[in-house]
Amino acid sequence: MAELMRFENDEPEEQRLPRNVEAEATFLGALLIDNRVAEDVQTRLRPEHFYEPLHGRIYEQALKLLDKNMVVTPVTLKPYFESDEAMKALGGPSYLAKLTGDGAGLIGARDFANQIYDLALLRELVSVGRTLVDSALDTSEKVDPKEQIEEAETALYRVSEGEAQEGGVRSFLQASTEALSNVERAFNSGGKVSGITTGLTDVNAKMGGLHRSDLLILAGRPGMGKTSLATNIAFNAANRYMRDMADGIAPEDSLGAKTAFFSLEMSADQLATRILSEQAEISSEKLRMGSISREEMHRLAMASRELQDLPLFIDDTPGLTIAALRTRARRLQRRQGIGMIVVDYLQLLQGSGRASDNRVNEISEISRGLKTLAKELQVPVMALSQLSRQVESREDKRPQLSDLRESGSIEQDADIVMFIFREEYYHMAVKPDVPDGNSTPEQIKKYEDWERDHVQAEGKATVIVAKNRQGSTGNIQLSFISEFTKFGDLAYGESPDDY
């Protein structure tokens, strides 16, 4: 190959950055000889991946010409580099012709592109390492070592995902292709689910499933069944993924997802007990007490055996900060490929500490962090949230957006806000005395009226979709089997097998 460029090695040997300028030149030569080389690599290889800035500019200009359906050759590139100082130092635009002096790069153009990309990642890793060393040497009081560790893990995650080089800009073609893929998923599922299934027919029909990059808030007062509903949805998504894999369906075509459940309130074994209780249809109270029959024990063992490969990962670490949760979620996606996250519950997370003196600001930081996590990992994040006590002071106990506790930013950051409401819970609180032989006609009628209304409310739950950035709002009626903490569709029965 003709003489290309030589660099003065003015850096000490131990500080030299990983690079292969010859590979860059050979790859560019192959591209200028056969423009089809760019078709296989341009979605991954970017101009900033080249160590030599001039090579990056040549590649960038080549891509621009290709986007205009122009042929890229030394002749068509020449006008763009006649005034380029770096090009002049190498003899002017004739350097472009030198790049094509040897066609050897045509044989392994993809390999050269991969090496350029990998070396760019290594240089970014060196940069991150230097930054980490500089930060670690800072021993001032304002420095928080744990925060530095979290920032280090974040930076390393970005390097591993190639984010530092690839950026977040996508063309409309890329975005529209993904949108059409979602529509196709919905079409193939019978026109109801384009995201991850909740296992509940009516919820899927209302929202189309749970969509990537969405932050969903599931809120309610204590005793409404937030954790039960979230556990049901997490199980249904993970179980659907497990079944799809057993049926030979490709992971990208599955309506389920590997799910991470961050439980800041309940322990992992308590959540597992709930799920086993639901699937074996044995009261969770009986399981805790151990008062079950031999036949029930057999059903429990069968359920446990069937679910041993369930891709549901439970992290019950208490007192997590939002930064630590994001780090753990990234690690789970990298190692396990999770496609959905559940957080129970938002108010138990901690902020960075900078806003800890103001709880409203801290909750705002947490909600923004969860939304950022959903977009970063491209997964739905469902966060449970408490409601303020002002609900109890109203005659109508149905929750509203203004009831979200401690911060309006939760409503602002969320793509979907859902409330769960069980009228039965409040109806039991006003239960009159059971009539006896001394009861008056008014007391008997009052109890009969209460009993009639109670029959209407018993075993039912309402999911109120109060905000839906991508669709309609409204109410969804569900059945609720309190003994097993299990939810199903009111009209059609339980439906995890429907999709």
Side-chain angles (χ1 to χ4, degrees), residues 144-343:
D144 183 353
K146 290 185 178 180
E147 185 175 335
Q148 285 192 355
I149 292 172
E150 291 166 359
E151 290 174 353
E153 289 192 326
T154 299
L156 290 172
Y157 173 81
R158 288 175 178 164
V159 173
S160 71
E161 295 298 308
E163 289 181 3
Q165 289 80 28
E166 294 187 23
V169 178
R170 290 187 295 172
S171 68
F172 182 76
L173 174 61
Q174 292 171 310
S176 61
T177 301
E178 183 175 335
L180 286 175
S181 176
N182 292 335
V183 173
E184 185 179 6
R185 281 167 57 89
F187 177 79
N188 291 337
S189 70
K192 294 180 181 178
V193 183
S194 59
I196 296 170
T197 182
T198 64
L200 300 167
T201 307
D202 294 344
V203 177
N204 283 340
K206 188 70 175 177
M207 303 190 305
L210 310 180
H211 297 90
R212 291 185 295 175
S213 80
D214 275 2
L215 172 60
L216 302 97
I217 299 296
L218 175 60
R221 289 292 295 156
M224 291 295 106
K226 296 187 301 298
T227 300
S228 298
L229 180 55
T231 304
N232 280 200
I233 291 173
F235 170 81
N236 291 339
N239 190 43
R240 178 57 190 262
Y241 184 89
M242 182 175 67
R243 287 166 38 208
D244 284 351
M245 296 305 99
D247 292 340
I249 297 174
E252 61 271 17
D253 295 329
S254 174
L255 294 180
K258 294 182 179 181
T259 303
F261 198 114
F262 290 90
S263 178
L264 286 84
E265 186 174 35
M266 298 176 63
S267 66
D269 62 293
Q270 288 175 323
L271 278 175
T273 299
R274 281 196 174 203
I275 291 174
L276 290 174
S277 166
E278 295 161 9
Q279 300 311 306
E281 297 187 347
I282 304 172
S283 165
S284 56
E285 182 178 355
K286 292 176 68 175
L287 288 182
R288 286 194 301 270
M289 300 294 292
S291 56
I292 57 176
S293 65
R294 185 173 297 276
E295 189 273 334
E296 288 173 328
M297 187 65 195
H298 177 71
R299 292 210 314 267
L300 187 66
M302 286 289 292
S304 178
R305 187 157 51 248
E306 290 172 1
L307 300 178
Q308 62 183 354
D309 296 323
L310 184 72
L312 178 61
F313 307 94
I314 303 172
D315 187 326
D316 59 359
T317 307
L320 278 178
T321 64
I322 182 61
L325 183 143
R326 290 172 63 179
T327 298
R328 289 165 183 254
R330 293 186 190 109
R331 191 180 302 148
L332 274 171
Q333 188 179 66
R334 186 169 65 252
R335 294 177 179 176
Q336 305 293 344
I338 60 169
M340 177 179 168
I341 296 172
V342 179
V343 180

Side-chain angles (χ1 to χ4, degrees), residues 427-446:
H427 202 252
M428 286 297 297
V430 295
K431 180 180 179 179
D433 294 334
V434 178
D436 56 24
N438 298 321
S439 299
T440 65
E442 290 78 11
Q443 291 173 325
I444 294 174
K445 185 177 185 308
K446 182 178 180 181

Side-chain angles (χ1 to χ4, degrees), residues 96 101-102 118 141 207 225 241 250 276 283 397 404 445:
L96 296 169
D102 185 352
D118 291 342
E141 292 184 0
M207 303 190 305
Y241 184 89
L276 290 174
S283 165
K397 309 296 186 185
L404 284 170
K445 185 177 185 308

Side-chain angles (χ1 to χ4, degrees), residues 10 24 49 52 115 134 159 172 321 331 346 348 368 391 396 412:
D10 53 2
E24 295 177 2
H49 292 151
E52 167 52 40
Q115 186 183 68
D134 291 341
V159 173
F172 182 76
T321 64
R331 191 180 302 148
L346 186 149
L348 288 179
R368 283 194 303 272
V391 175
D396 182 3
Q412 175 183 316

